[in-house]
Amino acid sequence: MSLLSFFGRSRQFENLLAENRSRMWRLAYAWCHSRHMADDIVQEALTKALRQHDQLRDPAALRGWLYSILFNCWHDQLRERKDLTDIDTVDEAELPDHASPDSDYEQNEIVRRVRCEVARLPAGQREVITLVDLEECAYAEVATILDIPIGTVMSRLSRARAALRDKLREPPAKSATFYQLKA
Amino acid sequence: MHNEISDEILSAYIDNELDAAERARLLERLTSDAALGGRACELWRLKQMLRGAYPLLPEKSALAGRRFAPPRWTQALAASLLLLLGATSGWVAHERAESEDIFMRQLEAIRHDGGRVVLHLFSDEPARMEAALHMAEQLAQAQDQAGKPLRVEFVANGPGLHLLRVGGSPYADRVAHLNQYANLRVIACHEAMQRLQERGLDVTLLPSVEIAPSAEGELAERLTQGWRYIQA
């Protein structure tokens, strides 16, 4: 029996959660870069959402509400595990197969490099840039989700983009050590 | 905004977060300042690279036994970002021109660069939609240096997709009339269509609207091919 079916009190609410599940997983993965941890964070967040669904007054606010819960679950994990910001926690299981053609291999290397540099960002910057770029959240929405001032959203985003830009300007060899991903 | 434009302001611009007055001031600078255009272009490409590095999986259950591939265009973007840093080609920005002068300067730049331009709409503000349509109509009727019609692509994604929807577009007739221009392609983003469908909206496109797998991919491909870019 699925978690959603087990806890579900409202079929409509279950459906709404299910529709958002893929996006929540992608966001959690972009924060923690671990497939298994992303699974855990999303499961926990969905469970909390089902338990607290009475708190959601405005259905239009569902996305931000879910991301706030996801963010809290992610930070619970951060508090429990201090090693999460280390680059070797990036999980290469989510990268394409290396046995693919050369062009795919090169492309995979680029994706791997971008992910590694995102993983190296401070968590606060990583959270902001992924909410803005992956989920297309407005700055005000990000401020609400993360419970920070909008000015902080802008400064974190700007610093994150500057850091990524500078790192990706470097020749690949300079950051080759960061490709040592967890087996 | 007389001298240095901060990265925060440029980020807000590419994220569609500036208000109308700020946006108008920045657009003036972008039209005339190639270096600033290069910085904005670089930030935009960075944003698209990040999106390409985390493609959305349709079902969580697909994770266990299947590895996913990022979009093909990620590589083209990466090449642009990593090898052509500082390049200023391809970036023009425009809001409905207060004067024909701005449009004429942009048109000159498009002609100079081979007469190919991609017009991008990422907004459902009626004023922006109207501005984009106006621009598309003008570009479609313009000619390059050899006297041939320009090649124009009009790409809509995000909230901008509403312009191309049956029952959702406030300018359906004008969109339909764009098919009179053989040199103009109107393209909807399939990813944006899926997102609207997930929200329960009917996404039937107006006649003659084509579909690309993703707007980012289409834009990235055109930029790497040397097309000029205009954000409506």
Side-chain angles (χ1 to χ4, degrees):
Chain A
M1 182 178 291
S2 75
L3 184 68
L4 288 176
S5 300
F6 184 78
F7 285 104
R9 298 169 194 170
S10 153
R11 176 61 63 184
Q12 186 183 12
F13 190 69
E14 281 183 26
N15 290 341
L16 285 171
L17 292 188
E19 286 172 8
N20 282 278
R21 184 172 189 144
S22 297
R23 295 194 171 280
M24 292 171 71
W25 192 91
R26 176 173 71 168
L27 194 54
Y29 176 76
W31 289 345
C32 69
H33 292 92
S34 160
R35 178 163 57 94
H36 298 302
M37 188 168 297
D39 285 345
D40 292 344
I41 293 169
V42 172
Q43 287 280 321
E44 180 65 15
L46 288 172
T47 304
K48 283 188 176 178
L50 284 162
R51 285 176 183 158
Q52 302 168 5
H53 76 280
D54 290 342
Q55 295 176 3
L56 182 66
R57 304 284 181 223
D58 177 10
L62 175 69
R63 185 177 78 152
W65 181 71
L66 285 176
Y67 291 171
S68 288
I69 295 172
L70 191 73
F71 169 74
N72 288 330
C73 292
W74 153 237
H75 273 253
D76 289 344
Q77 292 277 343
L78 271 181
R79 276 187 288 274
E80 290 175 15
R81 293 189 50 182
K82 301 296 184 188
D83 61 335
L84 283 181
T85 53
D86 293 344
I87 190 62
D88 63 2
T89 61
V90 173
D91 185 351
E92 71 171 336
E94 298 313 316
L95 290 167
D97 196 335
H98 286 184
S100 53
D102 288 349
S103 61
D104 286 351
Y105 179 80
E106 289 173 19
Q107 187 154 316
N108 297 348
E109 287 302 302
I110 292 162
V111 168
R112 188 196 303 259
R113 190 173 177 196
V114 171
R115 290 184 185 179
C116 283
E117 298 303 346
V118 170
R120 295 181 71 218
L121 293 172
Q125 293 180 25
R126 203 183 321 149
E127 290 150 8
V128 170
I129 196 171
T130 49
L131 281 165
V132 171
D133 285 350
L134 299 183
E135 298 309 314
E136 298 177 1
C137 292
Y139 291 178
E141 192 177 8
V142 176
T144 302
I145 292 168
L146 304 182
D147 195 22
I148 55 177
I150 198 166
T152 305
V153 172
M154 293 181 70
S155 59
R156 283 184 186 176
L157 180 63
S158 183
R159 286 201 298 272
R161 284 180 173 156
L164 286 178
R165 180 186 59 202
D166 293 345
K167 285 295 181 185
L168 293 172
R169 275 175 170 169
E170 294 176 7
K174 280 192 176 180
S175 37
T177 52
F178 301 126
Y179 293 169
Q180 301 304 313
L181 304 180
K182 191 166 83 174
Chain B
M1 227 191 294
H2 290 298
N3 297 312
E4 188 69 13
I5 303 290
S6 70
D7 278 348
E8 280 191 18
I9 294 294
L10 282 180
S11 272
Y13 173 69
I14 66 166
D15 295 327
N16 210 19
E17 290 276 348
L18 294 181
D19 65 31
E22 292 171 323
R23 184 179 170 82
R25 283 198 295 272
L26 183 58
L27 287 169
E28 278 290 341
R29 288 284 300 267
L30 282 167
T31 302
S32 58
D33 186 339
L36 185 64
R39 285 171 57 204
C41 191
E42 193 175 37
L43 283 178
W44 183 85
R45 291 180 187 209
L46 190 65
K47 182 183 177 87
Q48 307 312 321
M49 268 184 84
L50 195 135
R51 289 173 62 82
Y54 298 93
L56 186 64
L57 298 175
E59 293 292 337
K60 182 185 174 298
S61 58
L63 293 173
R66 211 179 71 191
R67 292 161 181 249
F68 65 76
R72 291 255 164 207
W73 51 268
T74 308
Q75 193 168 355
L77 270 178
S80 303
L81 187 71
L82 300 177
L83 303 177
L84 303 175
L85 285 170
T88 58
S89 64
W91 187 272
V92 184
H94 178 77
E95 194 158 298
R96 177 69 184 265
E98 293 293 329
S99 70
E100 285 299 305
D101 181 50
I102 294 177
F103 175 73
M104 292 310 294
R105 274 188 282 153
Q106 291 177 340
L107 191 56
E108 269 315 302
I110 294 164
R111 286 173 171 148
H112 182 265
D113 283 357
R116 301 170 303 171
V117 57
V118 57
L119 178 62
H120 179 203
L121 177 67
F122 187 88
S123 170
D124 58 357
E125 293 175 30
R128 289 269 186 92
M129 288 183 173
E130 204 279 331
L133 275 171
H134 178 73
M135 192 73 162
E137 291 159 353
Q138 285 190 294
L139 290 169
Q141 296 172 58
Q143 296 174 329
D144 65 14
Q145 289 174 329
K148 295 179 181 174
L150 301 183
R151 288 179 62 191
V152 186
E153 284 194 2
F154 183 6
V155 178
N157 70 329
L161 188 69
H162 290 297
L163 179 69
L164 309 182
R165 281 180 55 226
V166 171
S169 176
Y171 301 104
D173 289 343
R174 282 180 71 181
V175 173
H177 278 101
L178 292 178
N179 69 6
Q180 68 182 294
Y181 304 110
N183 58 325
L184 169 67
R185 295 175 67 199
V186 183
I187 299 172
C189 170
H190 187 251
E191 288 182 0
M193 292 172 64
Q194 286 181 314
R195 296 187 84 166
L196 290 185
Q197 285 167 338
E198 284 173 9
R199 287 163 45 194
L201 289 176
D202 175 44
V203 185
T204 303
L205 298 175
L206 291 163
S208 303
V209 176
E210 300 175 48
I211 299 173
S214 84
E216 285 91 355
E218 185 70 19
L219 295 172
E221 185 177 353
R222 292 311 183 199
L223 281 174
T224 53
Q225 290 169 345
W227 289 48
R228 299 290 294 197
Y229 173 86
I230 296 179
Q231 188 182 63

